[in-house]
Amino acid sequence: MTTSGNLNTFWAELIVAELVRNGVDYFCISPGSRSTPLVAAAAANEKAKKIVCIDERSSGYHAVGYARATSRPAVVITTSGTAVANLLPAVTEAARDRLPLIMLTADRPEELVTAGANQTMDQRGLFGKFVLSDHDLECPDTWLPPELILETVDYAVSDAVDHTGPVHINCRYAKPLEPCKVEIEKRYTKGIAAWQNSTEIFTKKDTSFRWEREDQITPLAEIVNKTERGMIVAGKLTSNAQRQALRKLIEKINWPLYADITSGMRLGARATGTIRYYDQDLLSEEFNKLARPDTVLHFGRRVTSKRVPEFFDANRPADYVVINENPHDYTPTDAVTMTIAADVADACNELIELVNEKAPSKYAEFMNAKGALADDIIKEAVSKQEKLTEAFTASEISANLPKAGCLFLSNSMPVRDMDLYRSPGAKDVICAANRGVSGIDGIVSTACGMAAGANKLTTVIVGDMAFMYDINALALAGAIDVPVIIVLINNHGGGIFDFMPIAEHADICGKYFTAEHDFDFKGVCETFKIRYYKAQTKSDLSESYSNALKEGQPALIEVFTDRAVNLKLRKKIKKQILNMLQEIS
């Protein structure tokens, strides 16, 4: 006789085992009762890596960070009810930024949900258009074959990995939920006997994707060969192979590069030909007259700056070509004339074989000269400002990042500051930000997931407001095996609103937008047993970051800055760059 408890345990073990066979072996688990069969199965599987995330929202973002580092999905296991709803912010980020994610949510039997039983809601379709597929598994029963469970897992993983995005598997369980010794009749498992005696997945799919050079790359190479004023734009790139191939292409054709901070190419020391401060440059009418390229090759996803696509909309190149695995997911600018669906590394390597070697053009030399002058302006302005500023923080941290490390940037000001003020001699590191939906929640959780996936020391720069959204992620920072160093900018409120029109209305801006506060976060670090450093001067920051790197333990450096000083410095730098651009011919 097969009991429901037996089947709960058996089905859950099938799900976890097939996920692991698919190479999906990192499980983010939030405690809860209804998910007991899934949690017990993950705990019992020796090949499954597990981390406990108390907060489901944090768990979802942790999985997002893991995907950013590995391009592989993590599994998020939750109980039923609001626990599932708390995954929505991470799901929207994964959907918008094409990151694989598998949500394994527990649910009560349908008759309890429709009766309005406690801790229930209709979880089917909860994530709507944000998931690639949504599977609702009924309560385990012998009239449903085990093949169905394995096929569901295989198709969900295929959707998440091959089409890159989040998927949802909703698992209903009736009591008893606790694990038990599984005793299943052989006639029930006859259809999966071969699977049980192998290490292969149950449902094999051919997911190979081929594209023909003659149809796409050869015409593009002809465009490149005839172009005098060419530019490369690098949006988010997903692997070192893509970055290396793009660098080799740039070395051959010597086109100037605008590298977004999420490309992983903006912080590198190999900055020859890099358009460094494009976002600022586009404010100059003189620059606009000289800067329009004839051809743009846009590799990867969209860029952080809003002025860059606006510039191309207003100054349209003859050819604007997007090369990305999924170029139809977004429109970087209305100026796009061609899209090529291909891996960036493959496309670059093909182009390298077909394009002619080029010396730097006058257009590229102009960009180089302008970039060098902008570097000098920023370096001098930041160094002359005696007080500790956010611009200095970006420059100092980027200059001292360990080579074998990662950098994660919060939205609002940190990602913009690193884009503008990073040190020209910064090292090549993996750099990422949640620029899909660009929220400020889940920043530290995502950074911890990135650290766990990359297995590398990770530095995260986050503002005070974003940090308060995600304080409980300090538990994750202490739980993973590699250190996360949190550089917390505390300017006592949301500094980004100083740059918005609402700043002119001081009577409401400070209270309702900037949300000014007088908090510090030393006590929070004591609670979570995280090493704490206080930085009020430039030397404080330099020493604190150096010591944190040497100690190799999770740490938080609280950087105290003055919003008024930061605003004044940024305006000064902007004005000087614009004046410099007016003088370039």
Side-chain angles (χ1 to χ4, degrees), residues 99-410:
L99 296 167
L101 173 66
I102 296 175
M103 294 167 292
L104 206 54
T105 63
D107 202 354
R108 281 161 164 71
E110 189 167 5
E111 61 269 20
L112 293 181
V113 176
T114 55
N118 183 45
Q119 204 174 343
T120 63
M121 63 182 185
D122 190 351
Q123 296 174 189
R124 295 169 299 183
L126 179 65
F127 302 108
K129 63 182 180 181
F130 295 112
V131 291
L132 295 173
S133 59
D134 202 334
H135 309 271
D136 187 51
L137 295 177
E138 296 188 37
C139 287
D141 197 299
T142 52
W143 72 270
L144 291 168
E147 296 95 315
L148 171 67
I149 307 308
L150 299 177
E151 289 171 354
T152 299
V153 171
D154 291 335
Y155 280 103
V157 172
S158 178
D159 281 337
V161 174
D162 300 327
H163 302 288
T164 54
V167 298
H168 180 205
I169 305 176
N170 192 52
C171 305
R172 298 181 184 276
Y173 295 110
K175 291 182 178 180
L177 303 171
E178 60 274 7
C180 63
K181 184 178 179 180
V182 176
E183 296 178 0
I184 304 294
E185 297 177 1
K186 287 189 176 180
R187 62 181 180 179
Y188 180 67
T189 61
K190 182 179 180 180
I192 63 169
W195 176 87
Q196 288 177 312
N197 294 317
S198 77
T199 58
E200 301 294 320
I201 64 172
F202 186 77
T203 311
K204 299 177 179 66
K205 293 181 67 178
D206 180 8
T207 58
S208 59
F209 176 69
R210 299 183 62 185
W211 50 283
E212 299 297 331
R213 172 194 291 183
E214 293 76 13
D215 292 340
Q216 297 174 305
I217 296 299
T218 299
L220 179 57
E222 293 173 356
I223 292 172
V224 172
N225 286 333
K226 71 180 183 181
T227 295
E228 293 294 326
R229 294 165 59 88
M231 179 189 297
I232 290 175
V233 174
K236 174 193 169 186
L237 301 176
T238 58
S239 70
N240 283 328
Q242 292 183 351
R243 288 182 279 272
Q244 291 169 4
L246 182 52
R247 284 192 180 101
K248 290 179 181 178
L249 175 62
I250 293 169
E251 288 172 0
K252 187 166 187 180
I253 64 177
N254 275 296
W255 283 11
L257 164 70
Y258 173 70
D260 185 72
I261 193 67
T262 61
S263 70
M265 298 181 70
R266 192 161 180 79
L267 296 179
R270 287 169 281 185
T272 302
T274 302
I275 306 169
R276 294 170 177 82
Y277 304 103
Y278 211 35
D279 192 80
Q280 298 283 296
D281 303 336
L282 297 179
L283 294 171
S284 165
E285 292 183 5
E286 291 299 317
F287 176 83
N288 273 260
K289 294 176 184 177
L290 298 169
R292 186 186 70 83
D294 297 326
T295 300
V296 174
L297 303 185
H298 184 130
F299 293 93
R301 295 187 59 78
R302 60 195 176 110
V303 299
T304 300
S305 170
K306 68 178 183 180
R307 293 193 187 102
V308 172
E310 288 174 353
F311 167 76
F312 290 124
D313 285 338
N315 303 276
R316 298 198 174 190
D319 296 284
Y320 193 114
V321 185
V322 177
I323 302 98
N324 188 31
E325 294 91 333
N326 298 283
H328 300 294
D329 292 339
Y330 70 106
T331 303
T333 168
D334 292 335
V336 172
T337 59
M338 182 191 304
T339 60
I340 296 177
D343 179 77
V344 168
D346 291 342
C348 287
N349 289 330
E350 293 280 2
L351 274 174
I352 289 168
E353 295 181 13
L354 295 173
V355 297
N356 299 329
E357 190 167 350
K358 294 173 178 281
S361 64
K362 290 184 178 180
Y363 177 69
E365 290 173 351
F366 162 72
M367 293 294 188
N368 282 334
K370 178 271 306 172
L373 289 171
D375 273 338
D376 292 340
I377 288 171
I378 291 176
K379 183 177 180 180
E380 182 179 7
V382 173
S383 64
K384 283 187 175 181
Q385 173 52 254
E386 295 182 359
K387 292 185 177 181
L388 177 56
T389 62
E390 289 154 32
F392 176 82
T393 301
S395 176
E396 181 71 7
I397 296 299
S398 62
N400 291 285
L401 288 166
K403 285 185 178 180
C406 301
L407 174 66
F408 193 83
L409 300 168
S410 179

Side-chain angles (χ1 to χ4, degrees), residues 49-50 54 86 119 147 162 217 240 244 274 304 337 360 367 422 449 484 507 523 525 545 552 570 581 583:
K49 306 179 187 73
K50 284 83 66 172
I54 302 299
N86 274 292
Q119 204 174 343
E147 296 95 315
D162 300 327
I217 296 299
N240 283 328
Q244 291 169 4
T274 302
T304 300
T337 59
M367 293 294 188
R422 94 288 181 267
V484 173
D507 55 328
C525 292
Y545 190 60
R570 287 186 172 100
L581 290 170
E583 299 171 1

